[in-house]
Amino acid sequence: EEIHKGKDEDGDDIEGSRYWIYDRNGLLLQTLEYGLVNFVHDPSFYTVYDIGAFYPHYADHTAMIKRQGLLDQNFKIIIPPLYDLISKRGKSILVYEKRNAVSGHDYESEEAEAAECYYTLDGGKWGAFDQEGNPVIPIEYNWIGHTFKDDLFVISRTGLMYYYRGEQEDGIWCHKEGLYGLINSKNEIIVEPGYKHYHTYEDKIIFCNRHSANYEILDMEEALTIYF
């Protein structure tokens, strides 16, 4: 498919948010009225931003420009455009509601070193949907992180998010100062959230309470390893 932004008769951008989507043979597939439409998450989904006016800037998957949702290739709404962030990997779609989160700029923090852009968000909640748009995890966690196993997620009910973008690097959302555990896609607790750190690998995840600046686990004897 190809996406074309709306133009008026003089070739200027239309105020508002209209997109025409064509296939490669020039057949009009759909007209969408959103502020932004792209394939930022997955070529099988249209990421849409219902912000009431055309958004003229580049937006990657970390962009928090409000009212974000997903459509499938048949333009069916999978995730309604209500969320501030969407993170898709494997069979799960994580969503974030900013709510009344408070932003901060602690440039003296360890995470801010070498950052071109850095700030924190204290508040807001994460939840999850499956690929059909069915809610599977309620929007109640301060953090939900993907693992290498589709039906397992790292969670925290405490701590705060931070955004980091280094020079000539893509931005990323992370989490700190929380206690971490593990749930499955039924929101069942696998590991109670009581660990300060976690390390994810293709075949396992390790929860620990002490690690070095180079992320070497220092309390391996007390650490908990979950194999996939």
Side-chain angles (χ1 to χ4, degrees), residues 7-215:
K7 303 283 186 178
D8 63 18
E9 292 181 356
D10 297 321
D12 296 324
D13 295 345
I14 291 176
E15 286 295 329
S17 50
R18 183 176 300 166
Y19 286 78
W20 285 270
I21 301 180
Y22 295 85
D23 67 15
R24 295 188 180 276
N25 296 317
L27 177 65
L28 178 64
L29 300 176
Q30 188 79 6
T31 300
L32 298 175
E33 295 190 358
Y34 292 100
L36 179 64
V37 178
N38 61 27
F39 295 102
V40 71
H41 288 103
D42 188 306
S44 299
F45 292 88
Y46 298 92
T47 305
V48 296
Y49 300 79
D50 186 13
I51 52 179
F54 172 66
Y55 189 77
H57 309 291
Y58 170 74
D60 66 12
H61 67 283
T62 66
M64 194 178 293
I65 57 176
K66 296 186 178 181
R67 300 183 64 82
Q68 184 178 159
L70 290 180
L71 311 184
D72 67 13
Q73 288 187 317
N74 296 315
F75 312 106
K76 175 187 174 183
I77 294 176
I78 302 300
I79 305 297
L82 301 173
Y83 301 100
D84 294 284
L85 282 174
I86 292 179
S87 175
K88 183 187 179 302
R89 192 168 94 183
K91 298 179 180 179
S92 301
I93 302 167
L94 306 184
V95 299
Y96 172 74
E97 291 181 352
K98 186 177 179 181
R99 300 183 181 179
N100 295 317
V102 177
S103 61
H105 299 83
D106 181 9
Y107 295 115
E108 301 300 320
S109 68
E110 178 182 346
E111 294 84 8
E113 292 182 8
E116 185 176 81
C117 179
Y118 173 87
Y119 67 96
T120 61
L121 277 179
D122 188 0
K125 299 295 179 181
W126 286 90
F129 292 80
D130 63 21
Q131 290 200 67
E132 286 70 48
N134 302 305
V136 292
I137 299 173
I139 302 173
E140 63 181 21
Y141 294 102
N142 284 30
W143 179 254
I144 301 180
H146 295 283
T147 70
F148 285 94
K149 188 170 176 58
D150 280 340
D151 62 347
L152 293 179
F153 306 90
V154 173
I155 54 96
S156 179
R157 296 190 177 98
T158 57
L160 64 158
M161 290 168 48
Y162 67 90
Y163 177 79
Y164 176 91
R165 189 181 73 239
E167 186 176 357
Q168 297 182 343
E169 295 179 358
D170 292 334
I172 186 172
W173 283 101
C174 300
H175 191 261
K176 66 177 183 175
E177 300 177 10
L179 293 176
Y180 301 99
L182 194 69
I183 62 172
N184 62 21
S185 57
K186 297 179 181 179
N187 199 33
E188 298 170 335
I189 297 291
I190 306 300
V191 176
E192 288 287 345
Y195 293 88
K196 294 181 179 179
H197 309 289
Y198 64 93
H199 299 251
T200 56
Y201 306 89
E202 289 189 5
D203 62 341
K204 63 188 174 184
I205 181 167
I206 301 176
F207 293 91
C208 65
N209 284 312
R210 295 194 303 123
H211 65 196
S212 69
N214 295 323
Y215 301 103

